[in-house]
Amino acid sequence: MATCLVTGGAGFLGSHLCDELLRRKHRVICVDNLETGSLANIAHIRQPEFVHLNLDITEPYHVDDEPIDVVYHLASPASPIDYLRLPLHTLKVGSYGTHHTLGLAKKHRARFLIASTSEVYGDPQEHPQTEAYWGHVNPIGPRGVYDEAKRYAEALTMAYHRQQGVDTSIIRIFNTYGPRMRPHDGRAIPTFLRQALQNQPITVFGNGEQTRSFCFVSDLVRGMIALAESGYHLPVNVGNPNEFTLLELAQAVIEATESSSELVFEPLPTDDPQVRQPDITLARELLGWQPEVELIEGLRRTIDEAGLEALAGVSP
Ligand code: NAD
């Protein structure tokens, strides 16, 4: 049994990670100030092996437990709606929050994993994206607060590894979906599901020809734990390489929900990437990992597990 500290453990991905770590019989310390997460995501966890600490990681913080074996650092606003609303907080979480959490991992001699993102590639000029690609990011656009915070956090992580000897890892997460996404968080899948379940028009940005790759949350969590348990230090892409246009995604959501919604088109947000597809050769070779849940099945599981009312935004 290992003791794992999960920052952002009351968020969408973090709460699924806590569930899986507990299922594997680990102890879990969840550090989350509920900025974008919710107690509802962890209310079902009743084991004594789980504790939630309401701490803001942008301030120095300490955890008395000893030992701490693995630190999963997920805390950060993640959806565009959140980081556009919280630009300075997003930069502070990526910088101060990551400093404090790396310092904690160093003190406890813990393995450290940071949840980075495919957004470090920006609007990529290389397709699909391999870990060797350095990215094409606009630092001063509205999305820069998120993209650059994550790029800084990666640089900080490598500096703690190279100079301070911390045992670090970096997961570059591509779009992930599943139950517990908030219906109004602005990301494509919860938005489309909410609109489809209410039989309202589905809002597609641009002409809908831009592509994304969608990974179901259970696949992502499996890859994240496999990377944390490896001894690897350089970034690893984890995501589903099956690429869909936004139009195809909208059709899949209509099929999964048996909705009568029609499509409407709205202007593209600033710096919206045109393509997004992970090259997961490294994850396959290093971790023996690959996604198992295809889009239609993942959408159906999301609907079954989250419930129609929650997805439609009728109940919290
Ligand atoms: P989320 O918003 O649901 O979870 C983030 C959690 O961090 C929330 O519970 C929030 O309350 C917490 N948090 C924020 N600021 C904090 C602070 N100062 N102190 C303590 N807790 C704080 O987002 P998510 O989708 O679960 O994303 C989790 C991580 O994965 C993020 O780092 C995100 O950048 C990364 N990621 C997610 C995706 C995705 O598709 N979901 C893709 C790429 C990267």
Side-chain angles (χ1 to χ4, degrees):
M1 176 200 281
T3 298
C4 305
L5 185 144
V6 180
T7 74
F12 160 54
L13 292 182
S15 62
H16 285 282
L17 174 64
C18 291
D19 283 342
E20 181 59 19
L21 292 170
L22 289 164
R23 199 186 65 75
R24 297 185 188 200
K25 308 284 181 222
H26 299 308
R27 289 184 63 232
V28 176
I29 303 164
C30 160
V31 171
D32 198 305
N33 71 346
L34 308 178
E35 182 74 56
T36 58
S38 163
L39 284 180
N41 289 338
I42 50 174
H44 61 282
I45 306 178
R46 307 237 176 245
Q47 288 107 302
E49 292 78 22
F50 178 82
V51 58
H52 168 232
L53 305 177
N54 190 330
L55 298 170
D56 178 353
I57 64 158
T58 64
E59 303 293 334
Y61 71 102
H62 305 281
V63 174
D64 292 332
D65 290 61
E66 190 66 62
I68 292 174
D69 302 292
V70 190
V71 173
Y72 291 90
H73 178 36
L74 276 69
S76 167
S79 84
I81 276 189
D82 290 327
Y83 61 73
L84 296 176
R85 177 175 62 88
L86 300 163
L88 291 176
H89 180 79
T90 302
L91 286 162
K92 281 188 195 166
V93 176
S95 53
Y96 298 121
T98 303
H99 261 298
H100 298 146
T101 308
L102 274 158
L104 186 142
K106 182 183 171 196
K107 182 176 156 211
H108 290 267
R109 298 176 190 275
R111 170 83 165 157
F112 174 92
L113 174 141
I114 182 155
S116 185
T117 170
S118 57
E119 302 301 326
V120 299
Y121 299 123
D123 190 5
Q125 312 292 295
E126 178 183 294
H127 191 65
Q129 294 84 58
T130 66
E131 291 83 353
Y133 178 56
W134 290 354
H136 181 246
V137 174
N138 175 4
I140 57 165
R143 303 172 70 105
V145 295
Y146 181 66
D147 304 0
E148 297 294 2
K150 291 290 184 181
R151 289 169 68 93
Y152 175 89
E154 286 198 8
L156 193 61
T157 300
M158 290 310 297
Y160 265 82
H161 172 61
R162 293 193 178 109
Q163 201 213 15
Q164 306 280 314
V166 179
D167 182 8
T168 59
S169 53
I170 299 172
I171 180 171
R172 288 190 180 148
I173 302 171
F174 284 66
N175 289 0
T176 300
Y177 69 100
R180 299 183 201 153
M181 293 189 90
R182 287 166 294 148
H184 290 277
D185 92 351
R187 290 183 268 196
I189 287 189
T191 305
F192 287 3
L193 280 172
R194 171 170 54 79
Q195 293 167 331
L197 289 168
Q198 295 180 348
N199 289 315
Q200 287 179 349
I202 291 184
T203 48
V204 176
F205 294 137
N207 60 10
E209 294 296 337
Q210 68 273 35
T211 67
R212 296 289 183 273
S213 310
F214 301 101
C215 186
F216 190 64
V217 63
S218 60
D219 282 335
L220 189 281
V221 164
R222 202 166 35 81
M224 184 181 278
I225 295 174
L227 178 58
E229 292 180 351
S230 75
Y232 196 71
H233 302 298
L234 295 174
V236 180
N237 289 339
V238 176
N240 191 320
N242 290 343
E243 190 180 21
F244 295 88
T245 67
L246 267 284
L247 282 178
E248 288 168 334
L249 173 68
Q251 291 302 343
V253 167
I254 287 172
E255 185 186 327
T257 53
E258 299 174 9
S259 169
S260 58
S261 290
E262 294 178 350
L263 305 186
V264 294
F265 295 87
E266 293 196 346
L268 269 182
T270 310
D271 298 332
D272 199 44
Q274 274 307 299
V275 289
R276 183 67 82 225
Q277 184 190 27
D279 182 320
I280 60 164
T281 308
L282 181 60
R284 276 201 176 101
E285 289 175 356
L286 183 75
L287 311 173
W289 176 88
Q290 60 181 15
E292 289 170 355
V293 182
E294 288 311 329
L295 183 63
I296 281 286
E297 185 196 342
L299 289 173
R300 294 202 170 114
R301 279 169 65 171
T302 303
I303 295 165
D304 288 348
E305 289 175 37
L308 294 180
E309 289 194 342
L311 286 171
V314 177
S315 66

